[in-house]
Amino acid sequence: MKKHLTKLMDLTKEDILNILNLADQMKRDLKNNKDHKVLSGKTLAMIFKKPSTRTRVSFETGMYQLGGQALFLSANDLQFAQGESIRDTAQALSRYVDGIMLLAIEQEDVESLAQWSTVPVINGLSNFSHPCQILADLMTIREHKGALEDVRLAYIGDGSNVCNSLIVGGLLCGLKISVAVPEGFDPHPDVLTFVKEFTNRNPDDFLLTRKPQLAVEKANVLVTNRWASVGQEFDEDDRKETFADFQINNNILDLADPKAMVLHCLPAYRGEEISSEVFETHANSIFDAIENRLHVQKAIMALLMGS
């Protein structure tokens, strides 16, 4: 595993399975009241450029359970806001802490921070990638389905950071991926290049379509995300019109495997990207994945920051 986790393209299949296996063990340990304070005395700096519920609480709780401490740092409270370079911020923080988590807006900021930091950098979220959430999704799929290989996953919605990371992580782990997005909202070009290179051996492993009904055919897992992420609210009304046919509802679910599970990284807007009925019916699996953010992030921190 590399020194940093900036995106899932940084990882191999072996890296992902090592994270998931350690996360499984840490989850069992926690349920059995067994300590695993492998980061005792260590500190994680958590920089937030956007509001957060799950990322802040899961990282902060995770560091506590690993025996370390986490420092919440709003970007507005740092010299970031006064124009200090990421290079100088990275070099300064590296003298104080043992790891840095950045919840960013631009992927470029995550990459730059990693370039100049001498301690591990973890991408908590960016406009390009959401690696921790997708690792939690993969952990949850494996818990519910027993394996990852040959699982059919359908993503419906915007070609966002969640979509980008699901494609990369899913293909690396042997899932078959179908993506239904409106015209003009495709996954990132770098991800489509990755797909082309990865699926040369078996083009049936990936499908990009404008028809949700086609994407969910025989799918074992359905995933969606809000139509307008933070920072995109300016065109929220236009997006609602564009994405009106890209909702996971009972009509769509009826076309999938009868035992299909549904995942959503939250926050969810019931009645938009997912119907209220489908959300409540599949709330257990959705919140299983939200819980698993804690466990995979602990595994990531242990692997990157452990001595």
Side-chain angles (χ1 to χ4, degrees), residues 166-290:
L166 270 174
I167 292 170
V168 174
L171 290 177
L172 284 172
C173 289
L175 282 75
K176 298 183 184 300
I177 307 293
S178 298
V179 172
V181 294
E183 190 79 41
F185 294 89
D186 284 358
H188 193 280
D190 289 353
V191 172
L192 296 180
T193 298
F194 171 88
V195 168
K196 185 176 180 180
E197 295 171 352
F198 191 89
T199 58
N200 276 340
R201 293 164 292 174
N202 188 358
D204 292 335
D205 286 347
F206 180 78
L207 171 69
L208 177 63
T209 179
R210 310 301 173 201
K211 298 179 179 180
Q213 296 84 354
L214 185 59
V216 302
E217 188 175 329
K218 298 181 181 179
N220 312 114
V221 183
L222 279 67
V223 186
T224 190
N225 188 25
R226 61 181 296 194
W227 292 336
S229 298
V230 175
Q232 298 174 331
E233 294 86 353
F234 63 92
D235 64 350
E236 188 169 1
D237 290 340
D238 290 340
R239 281 175 174 257
K240 286 181 181 179
E241 182 176 349
T242 301
F243 285 88
D245 294 330
F246 290 79
Q247 180 191 82
I248 294 182
N249 51 42
N250 282 331
N251 290 333
I252 288 293
L253 204 55
D254 285 344
L255 301 174
D257 174 31
K259 296 182 179 179
M261 63 188 291
V262 176
L263 297 175
H264 192 307
C265 70
L266 304 186
Y269 288 77
R270 295 165 176 80
E272 293 185 12
E273 74 275 3
I274 188 168
S275 70
S276 295
E277 186 174 0
V278 168
F279 186 96
E280 297 306 331
T281 300
H282 294 270
N284 185 56
S285 60
I286 291 170
F287 285 102
D288 281 348
I290 298 308

Side-chain angles (χ1 to χ4, degrees), residues 1-14:
M1 186 169 173
K2 293 184 178 180
K3 180 179 179 180
H4 309 290
L5 176 55
T6 65
K7 55 188 179 299
L8 287 185
M9 289 178 183
D10 294 344
L11 303 182
T12 64
K13 179 179 181 179
E14 182 181 7

Side-chain angles (χ1 to χ4, degrees), residues 23-165:
D24 286 342
Q25 181 61 53
M26 289 184 161
K27 185 174 183 176
R28 287 193 295 270
D29 288 349
L30 186 63
K31 303 298 183 186
N32 292 315
N33 297 313
K34 182 179 178 181
D35 286 341
H36 40 232
K37 298 189 181 300
V38 296
L39 297 184
S40 180
K42 296 199 173 184
T43 302
L44 176 74
M46 307 187 303
I47 303 173
F48 288 83
K49 285 200 163 187
K50 296 196 288 189
S52 167
T53 299
R54 285 152 290 277
T55 300
R56 177 178 178 179
V57 174
S58 56
F59 268 105
E60 198 162 332
T61 301
M63 273 302 288
Y64 172 78
Q65 292 176 358
L66 292 171
Q69 64 174 337
L71 302 176
F72 171 77
L73 304 170
S74 168
N76 292 330
D77 296 331
L78 299 176
Q79 292 301 320
F80 266 147
Q82 305 302 320
E84 182 176 43
S85 69
I86 291 178
R87 175 177 180 174
D88 290 352
T89 300
Q91 291 181 332
L93 288 178
S94 295
R95 302 296 183 101
Y96 302 136
V97 302
D98 304 286
I100 304 170
M101 187 283 297
L102 174 61
L103 191 150
I105 297 174
E106 302 295 334
Q107 177 70 19
E108 181 182 342
D109 289 347
V110 182
E111 303 286 354
S112 181
L113 190 68
Q115 178 184 356
W116 295 108
S117 172
T118 59
V119 299
V121 170
I122 301 169
N123 182 355
L125 176 149
S126 71
N127 60 349
F128 173 74
S129 186
H130 203 346
C132 295
Q133 179 62 54
I134 272 50
L135 289 169
D137 289 344
L138 292 171
M139 180 179 178
T140 309
I141 292 168
R142 194 167 72 166
E143 287 177 340
H144 282 249
K145 301 298 181 183
L148 292 173
E149 262 112 11
D150 296 325
V151 167
R152 293 182 176 272
L153 184 148
Y155 174 87
I156 300 174
D158 182 21
S160 61
N161 51 4
V162 170
C163 179
N164 292 332
S165 296

